[in-house]
Amino acid sequence: EKKDINVLEQMQNMTIDLNSKVMLEKAEKDGVETMYKRKLGYKVQCGFGLQGICCRNCGMGPCRISAKTPRGLCGADEHTIVGRNYARMCAGGAAAHSDHARDITHTLALTTPGGDYQIKEPEKLKDFAQFLGIEVGDKDIYDLAHEVAEECLMEFGRPFGTSKMMKRATQARQDLWKELGIEVRAIDREIATVMHATHIGCCADIESLVLTGMRCSLGDWVGSSIGTILSDIMFGTPKPVHTEANLNVLAGNNVNIILHGHEPTLSEMIVAASELPEMQELAKEVGADGITLSGICCTGNELTMRHGIKIAGDFHQQELAIITGSVEAMIVDVQCIFPSLAELSTHYHTKFITTSPKARITGSQYMEFHEDTAMEDAKTIVREAIMNFKNRDASKVLVPDLKSEGVVGFSENAIVGKLNNVVNTQIDDMDTLKPLIDVLASGVIRGVVGVVGCNNAKTPSNYNHLTLIKELIKNDFLVVTTGCGASVAAKNGLMLKENAKKYAGKGLATVCELVDIPPVLHLGSCVDNSRIINICTLVAQSLGMEVPDLPVAGSAPEWMSEKAIAIGTYVVANGIDTYLGVMPPVTGSSRAVEILCGELKDKVGACFHVNEDAIELAKMIMDDIEAKRPHFEELY
Ligand code: SF4
Ligand code: MSK
């Protein structure tokens, strides 16, 4: 028994979320396994993998670099192996984000007046069409949407020339990318180029491998930007909306449906289906009071941004949500879904429903979702969840007590709108951006930091995010956030304006009060990091500056996915220094570290910085931004 207590304590020390600690105790009592338990089994992780010096790129391998074997069988050294592995991480991330964008683009092609998918933002569509060089005239809005969809699909496989989305960067950035040979030609091509260049017997030059990875990551930025823009066009540009966060949102006698994964196409339909009177009545018929939808990971972020749908938890809480025993259905699409959910849900009444052919999971209930029968599919899935309510076993239910409230929905238009005292606004000239620039230039706000990304079992869940964010806002740095970092902030009350006085420095608290914003702004899902780059670019353009001149930074203090590596790399390529709280697997090559954490600064005006101590990471960010301020103020 002593050993069991010890195991529980060890697991509970791996998270700072109090609800999660309660659920880990329940997991032990229920005899079910979680990531935290599995992590205990991984006392020592593979040193070769951690350093990025294991190569499996051909059948002669695996080859591992050590003092005794300094080269792989083909002669690849540690720099080549680390560089290839890094570039492949960029490609994995770019593939995921851009395939998400491809699905959104196909959905745009299916839009019809009165159909399941419609155009909610015709002006945004027209602006984007013009940007892509499509004549708008007085075309029917749906004809225009279909033309935009075709043009966006060209971004994936344009046979000649370069991506039209390059023009979303400043002219200076475009020139620099051209000079470095990292302009994106087409998204799929950049992914293929990385896979080709990293095949055995191809690229064996670390500098070239990093730049090839960077070009592919810029492809990730192109895909993410398309994903964000088209989602806004079809589902509406987010504006401030109230929400609640943490596992307690599952409390009560409602049918609980959790939406987990990344894409808004299915989940938007689930929202619409669950609001239908027939579904509400069905829920009552089975003895529930109603239906609660909540989200985990970025599907949740997409929904909370546009509808205020509650945030059940972050990446590390997906298993814990099921362990509450109160979830009728966990519906997933793609990315960041633990395969363990299949076995775990057999211990409870939860239906674990997979919906995408790209993310089939053995042991799940597979209900394939098709965009052309979207509403019918969504209704079938919601009905399945409702009918499962009768199987809820009260003796297995324990929903932890804590939840927070917050205001989310800060798209670029919403942020600038707030600063101009209107709801959402077009960002079209210096006038609309001026209030934002003024608070930055006056020093009332010292800088803006994007704190984004995942949870990583290498750090206690949420610790780095929360520590870093609190340090930054205490010192008058405005934090913008996406992904699971946003969930952490929401869970801890940092998305409430009322808490600015408690947590923010005087300057930031005053701005929050004056313009009615919380000290931490939720900008959306992982693809919505494109919003952060967009704002930085617009501010730089309106000031006639370059992005590296701005007092801004990016950070992923608990990153874990390949997508995060691709994001970090495109943020650096855009000229924004990026601070990581977990070391990527590159330390096996001194050259990789020198380039990624140093030499890139000379090439693109920014680089990576790593510190696994969150307080020190915050200090690095703040010191570096403060060092930029005199130059910024002088240019201003
Ligand atoms: Fe080994 Fe070279 Fe094959 Fe990699 S590519 S597994 S280093 S022989
Ligand atoms: S969901 S990629 S754990 S942020 Fe976008 Fe969260 Fe990271 Fe997945």
Side-chain angles (χ1 to χ4, degrees):
E1 187 165 336
K2 198 165 173 215
K3 186 166 166 277
D4 283 349
I5 293 167
N6 195 21
V7 164
L8 175 61
E9 276 175 8
Q10 286 181 58
M11 292 196 296
Q12 288 177 324
N13 288 339
M14 287 154 63
T15 176
I16 62 162
D17 186 289
L18 298 177
N19 278 349
S20 295
K21 288 179 196 277
V22 173
M23 297 324 297
L24 286 171
E25 190 172 352
K26 182 168 191 286
E28 282 299 279
K29 282 197 188 122
D30 291 356
V32 295
E33 188 187 86
T34 64
M35 176 208 79
Y36 295 93
K37 188 77 164 264
R38 290 189 290 276
K39 170 75 178 168
L40 290 182
Y42 276 86
K43 282 222 161 40
V44 184
Q45 287 184 303
C46 169
F48 297 99
L50 283 170
Q51 296 177 77
I53 44 174
C54 174
C55 182
R56 291 185 295 110
N57 289 14
C58 90
M60 296 201 291
C63 298
R64 307 189 305 184
I65 299 300
S66 67
K68 275 194 187 149
T69 55
R71 287 179 183 270
L73 293 184
C74 65
D77 63 12
E78 74 271 33
H79 310 302
T80 294
I81 292 175
V82 167
R84 292 195 299 212
N85 289 339
Y86 165 78
R88 283 194 171 200
M89 288 184 87
C90 295
H97 279 148
S98 54
D99 214 30
H100 167 156
R102 191 191 326 260
D103 285 348
I104 301 282
T105 309
H106 279 131
T107 308
L108 183 70
L110 289 173
T111 52
T112 50
D116 288 348
Y117 297 106
Q118 298 179 28
I119 302 303
K120 288 223 174 106
E121 300 275 7
E123 292 310 314
K124 202 166 219 176
L125 173 68
K126 287 181 196 166
D127 283 353
F128 190 44
Q130 259 161 1
F131 170 83
L132 292 170
I134 297 170
E135 206 192 302
V136 175
D138 55 0
K139 277 179 193 159
D140 172 81
I141 202 71
Y142 285 89
D143 289 342
L144 188 63
H146 303 158
E147 233 179 291
V148 165
E150 282 204 26
E151 191 57 44
C152 286
L153 289 172
M154 286 296 286
E155 286 292 307
F156 292 86
R158 190 178 301 288
F160 306 106
T162 53
S163 157
K164 289 190 177 175
M165 297 293 280
M166 295 293 97
K167 284 186 297 175
R168 280 175 68 83
T170 62
Q171 189 57 51
R173 211 64 351 217
Q174 292 175 56
D175 296 343
L176 179 67
W177 292 342
K178 187 170 190 171
E179 191 189 316
L180 291 172
I182 57 171
E183 281 177 305
V184 175
R185 296 156 303 177
I187 300 167
D188 291 350
R189 182 171 180 188
E190 303 314 347
I191 296 165
T193 297
V194 166
M195 296 311 286
H196 182 180
T198 56
H199 190 273
I200 179 177
C202 259
C203 191
D205 177 79
I206 179 70
E207 286 181 41
S208 174
L209 284 163
V210 169
L211 286 179
T212 305
M214 186 168 266
R215 180 169 56 187
C216 184
S217 300
L218 282 169
D220 184 275
W221 168 60
V222 170
S224 296
S225 303
I226 291 173
T228 296
I229 295 166
L230 299 190
S231 295
D232 282 358
I233 288 170
M234 283 187 285
F235 307 123
T237 302
K239 44 180 179 285
V241 59
H242 178 269
T243 195
E244 293 176 352
N246 215 337
L247 293 169
N248 184 260
V249 304
L250 301 170
N253 193 45
N254 278 9
V255 173
N256 275 316
I257 300 178
I258 295 187
L259 295 148
H260 172 24
H262 276 78
E263 295 180 0
T265 33
L266 163 65
S267 51
E268 280 282 338
M269 282 302 118
I270 299 272
V271 173
S274 66
E275 285 169 355
L276 292 171
E278 63 182 274
M279 293 299 165
Q280 292 292 333
E281 278 159 29
L282 188 61
K284 298 247 160 66
E285 272 170 37
V286 298
D289 295 339
I291 302 171
T292 296
L293 296 184
S294 58
I296 286 186
C297 283
C298 285
T299 295
N301 286 320
E302 296 270 358
L303 293 176
T304 201
M305 287 287 282
R306 295 197 175 88
H307 305 279
I309 295 291
K310 298 169 185 189
I311 300 165
D314 53 36
F315 176 61
H316 277 183
Q317 289 178 301
Q318 55 186 289
E319 294 173 314
L320 307 181
I322 290 179
I323 293 170
T324 64
S326 66
V327 178
E328 273 59 55
M330 170 86 83
I331 301 164
V332 302
D333 49 35
V334 290
Q335 301 167 22
C336 299
I337 304 148
F338 282 1
S340 65
L341 299 186
E343 199 279 331
L344 179 65
S345 43
T346 64
H347 296 265
Y348 303 91
H349 76 302
T350 307
K351 284 185 184 281
F352 173 45
I353 300 175
T354 47
T355 60
S356 166
K358 281 175 264 191
R360 294 199 66 158
I361 296 176
T362 304
S364 66
Q365 180 173 342
Y366 185 58
M367 300 176 77
E368 192 164 305
F369 172 71
H370 298 275
E371 281 83 355
D372 50 358
T373 49
M375 192 47 152
E376 277 316 303
D377 293 357
K379 281 186 350 195
T380 309
I381 294 171
V382 171
R383 215 174 280 122
E384 187 80 9
I386 295 172
M387 296 315 288
N388 193 29
F389 183 76
K390 62 179 182 305
N391 296 321
R392 189 187 286 190
D393 177 351
S395 70
K396 285 193 178 173
V397 174
L398 174 68
V399 177
D401 290 338
L402 300 174
K403 74 175 170 197
S404 288
E405 293 181 51
V407 173
V408 298
F410 289 94
S411 58
E412 310 91 304
N413 310 70
I415 295 172
V416 177
K418 275 285 184 195
L419 288 158
N420 286 276
N421 208 16
V422 290
V423 184
N424 276 15
T425 188
Q426 291 284 96
I427 308 170
D428 36 21
D429 56 29
M430 174 72 180
D431 283 350
T432 46
L433 288 167
K434 194 167 183 312
L436 173 63
I437 293 165
D438 283 349
V439 288
L440 261 183
S442 66
V444 177
I445 289 177
R446 307 304 300 165
V448 181
V449 185
V451 180
V452 307
C454 327
N455 316 130
N456 190 319
K458 290 197 166 82
T459 67
S461 311
N462 300 177
Y463 172 78
N464 280 4
H465 272 296
L466 197 59
T467 308
L468 174 62
I469 292 174
K470 281 188 171 172
E471 279 299 300
L472 291 169
I473 62 176
K474 187 173 85 187
N475 289 287
D476 291 325
F477 289 79
L478 176 68
V479 169
V480 295
T481 176
T482 63
C484 292
S487 308
V488 177
K491 287 193 300 177
N492 287 280
L494 300 176
M495 290 178 167
L496 269 185
K497 183 187 81 176
E498 293 69 30
N499 280 342
K501 280 189 217 91
K502 188 168 163 193
Y503 295 110
K506 201 163 160 230
L508 177 58
T510 307
V511 172
C512 292
E513 190 56 40
L514 280 177
V515 297
D516 186 30
I517 55 167
V520 180
L521 303 181
H522 193 325
L523 267 74
S525 64
C526 300
V527 295
D528 293 331
N529 286 311
S530 63
R531 296 192 198 277
I532 301 177
I533 301 291
N534 191 24
I535 298 177
C536 291
T537 305
L538 292 169
V539 169
Q541 273 166 339
S542 69
L543 286 171
M545 294 183 187
E546 243 286 53
V547 176
D549 299 325
L550 303 178
V552 299
S555 179
E558 299 179 36
W559 78 271
M560 65 85 204
S561 69
E562 291 173 323
K563 293 178 289 176
I565 289 293
I567 293 167
T569 305
Y570 79 58
V571 171
V572 167
N574 270 283
I576 300 172
D577 281 295
T578 296
Y579 298 76
L580 306 177
V582 176
M583 179 55 92
V586 297
T587 51
S589 159
S590 56
R591 283 297 298 135
V593 175
E594 281 163 11
I595 294 168
L596 293 166
C597 299
E599 291 169 21
L600 281 179
K601 190 100 181 168
D602 294 332
K603 281 199 159 72
V604 295
C607 65
F608 284 100
H609 309 257
V610 187
N611 195 315
E612 296 187 346
D613 180 306
I615 297 273
E616 286 177 19
L617 190 70
K619 192 167 179 324
M620 282 167 79
I621 295 172
M622 294 188 289
D623 287 351
D624 288 356
I625 290 184
E626 288 297 347
K628 279 185 175 187
R629 286 204 60 95
H631 179 61
F632 169 69
E633 286 166 22
E634 195 182 311
L635 285 175
Y636 175 74

